[in-house]
Amino acid sequence: MATEKQPTVIKKYANRRLYHTGTSTYVTLDDLAGMVKKGEDFVVFDAKTGEDITRSVLTQIIFEQEGKSGQNLLPIAFLRQLIRYYGDSMQALVPSYLEHSIQMLTQNQQKFRDHLSTTFGPNTFGSAAFSAMEEQVQKNMTVFRDALKMFTPFPIPGEDAAAQPGAPAAKSAETEAGELEQLKRQLSDVQKRLDKLSG
């Protein structure tokens, strides 16, 4: 009977050295980045406390990769917006959205590459290609909003009104304030449900 392969255990010591328990050798962050690119799963533990520090090590790998010339993946505007979400009422929803978006991109990456190549030729990343990417992001947002509806019985403010013909172009400050309060209540309810599910 086949068993699922367990992730490799990496231990981080006080001297910041990383020890690969599978090969009994010391490795670098670049080595771990290579493992990720090959699809090898690993977890990192603090050798002294036993604490799982995988997230911080992966973040450190991203930081180092971003520091290399020509390898920037994270736009400054994205990084600023991500920082704004810390401590915000939307914080609980952001990880799910980002995870879903990257999964969609991963699942469709070859199809996306082929489409860009056949459509735009050698200028794969010209302005027309960015329009196609923007369209894909909009589709992802639609899927995410639909998924969000499953967690809340309330309508998402502004969505139904915008869909109706003849809807007013602008809303009063009172209406917007009321909708904002309703959205906060809905998010609070979603957070409670997520906490209950994770508990």
Side-chain angles (χ1 to χ4, degrees):
M1 183 172 169
T3 56
E4 190 176 334
K5 186 179 178 183
Q6 294 299 310
T8 301
V9 174
I10 308 292
K11 292 184 178 179
K12 186 174 184 180
Y13 288 90
N15 59 6
R16 296 186 178 183
R17 297 190 76 185
L18 297 158
Y19 184 75
H20 189 304
T21 60
T23 59
S24 300
T25 57
Y26 286 101
V27 292
T28 64
L29 289 176
D30 277 341
D31 293 329
L32 295 185
M35 289 173 67
V36 171
K37 290 174 183 178
K38 290 176 189 172
E40 296 178 40
D41 197 13
F42 62 82
V43 289
V44 185
F45 294 102
D46 185 293
K48 185 176 182 181
T49 65
E51 178 188 0
D52 186 339
I53 55 171
T54 308
R55 182 188 304 273
S56 64
V57 170
L58 290 173
T59 305
Q60 193 175 355
I61 290 172
I62 291 171
F63 177 77
E64 289 215 346
Q65 295 294 315
E66 283 289 309
K68 293 180 180 178
S69 178
Q71 291 206 37
N72 309 104
L73 287 179
L74 304 175
I76 290 176
F78 170 79
L79 292 171
R80 290 185 201 278
Q81 188 58 55
L82 199 59
I83 291 168
R84 289 187 191 109
Y85 278 125
Y86 284 101
D88 188 89
S89 57
M90 292 288 288
Q91 181 176 337
L93 300 176
V94 173
S96 300
Y97 171 70
L98 293 178
E99 187 173 10
H100 175 75
S101 296
I102 202 71
Q103 282 176 351
M104 291 288 288
L105 180 61
T106 302
Q107 288 169 9
N108 297 309
Q109 66 176 322
Q110 191 53 52
K111 185 165 61 174
F112 196 56
R113 287 177 204 268
D114 294 342
H115 175 71
L116 287 175
S117 179
T118 55
T119 306
F120 307 110
N123 189 20
T124 304
F125 292 99
S127 59
F130 283 108
S131 297
M133 288 184 204
E134 186 177 354
E135 183 181 333
Q136 184 62 45
V137 169
Q138 290 299 328
K139 287 179 183 177
N140 287 352
M141 276 299 295
T142 302
V143 170
F144 180 68
R145 287 175 72 87
D146 290 342
L148 181 60
K149 286 178 192 173
M150 292 190 302
F151 287 100
T152 174
F154 307 107
I156 297 174
E159 190 174 72
D160 294 334
Q164 295 173 358
K171 297 177 184 176
S172 69
E174 281 184 13
T175 304
E176 288 185 352
E179 288 182 350
L180 183 59
E181 283 304 313
Q182 184 183 8
L183 181 59
K184 285 180 180 178
R185 286 195 298 272
Q186 291 173 11
L187 288 172
S188 176
D189 184 52
V190 169
Q191 181 64 53
K192 287 175 186 174
R193 292 179 187 207
L194 289 172
D195 290 342
K196 191 178 290 185
L197 286 171
S198 63

